Amino acid sequence: MEFMNRRFMDATLPRDFATVVLVQLDLRSRRLDYVSADHETGVLVSPGGQYRALESTGLILGIDEDAEFELLELSCEAGERLLLLTDGVTETQGVDGQMFGGERTIELLRESSNLPVDEVLRQLNLQLKQFRAGVAPHDDVTVVLVEVPEGRTA
């Protein structure tokens, strides 16, 4: 991430910045490595509905050329789901100006832990559209949802 930050600063204007998250999920060992440049918080949700937040491990890219980023390693369990998203999801605004928010997103994941991943994504998309009440999103709305499969660890 330090290399990406320096390259970003070399290639962009002084006031430009970006959030980034890099994740490597080894499905055999169920190990998740991640580093986050102040990107929207990711979440690991267990089949029982408990969740762990994947907080930022460093500054936004483009702020400090010498910024350092911590690589974190987590163990996952079979059936856990990893959610990564952009702020276009949590900052989706309703007609009253209220934001959709992270809490609402996590609650949907917790309530739908028994549903297939594609159905959870369909429901999230539907809820976001209903929340916006027909208004087009003002930002990109990107969601990645991965379930850690059953099986033995390496």
Side-chain angles (χ1 to χ4, degrees):
M1 189 71 82
E2 286 85 356
F3 174 78
M4 287 179 60
N5 182 51
R6 287 190 300 277
R7 293 290 299 169
F8 181 85
M9 292 187 78
D10 289 344
T12 60
L13 297 173
R15 287 187 224 129
D16 288 348
F17 64 90
T19 66
V20 176
V21 63
L22 297 175
V23 175
Q24 180 176 337
L25 177 58
D26 184 327
L27 297 177
R28 294 186 76 123
S29 67
R30 297 190 193 134
R31 189 181 87 202
L32 180 136
D33 297 330
Y34 85 96
V35 59
S36 173
D38 207 30
H39 191 72
E40 188 73 22
T41 301
V43 182
L44 275 169
V45 181
S46 74
Q50 294 80 23
Y51 70 93
R52 298 184 277 168
L54 305 179
E55 301 289 342
S56 177
T57 64
L59 292 173
I60 295 171
L61 298 187
I63 300 296
D64 179 359
E65 187 174 349
D66 298 319
E68 295 182 1
F69 303 86
E70 183 179 5
L71 175 68
L72 296 181
E73 182 181 307
L74 300 170
S75 293
C76 299
E77 297 179 24
E80 269 191 301
R81 291 180 173 177
L82 168 65
L83 173 73
L84 301 171
L85 45 81
T86 59
D87 60 5
V89 175
T90 56
E91 294 177 3
T92 289
Q93 290 188 349
V95 291
D96 60 357
Q98 181 182 2
M99 287 194 229
F100 191 76
E103 299 284 325
R104 197 180 315 251
T105 307
I106 291 169
E107 191 57 35
L108 170 69
L109 285 175
R110 292 172 80 178
E111 291 175 355
S112 59
S113 62
N114 61 327
L115 297 176
V117 168
D118 59 339
E119 179 60 22
V120 175
L121 291 171
R122 192 188 72 70
Q123 286 190 15
L124 177 58
N125 189 40
L126 181 62
Q127 282 193 20
L128 287 166
K129 284 181 179 178
Q130 290 173 345
F131 191 80
R132 285 192 311 266
V135 176
H138 71 279
D139 199 354
D140 69 297
V141 175
T142 305
V143 179
V144 175
L145 183 61
V146 178
E147 184 170 318
V148 178
E150 297 286 335
R152 56 193 164 122
T153 60

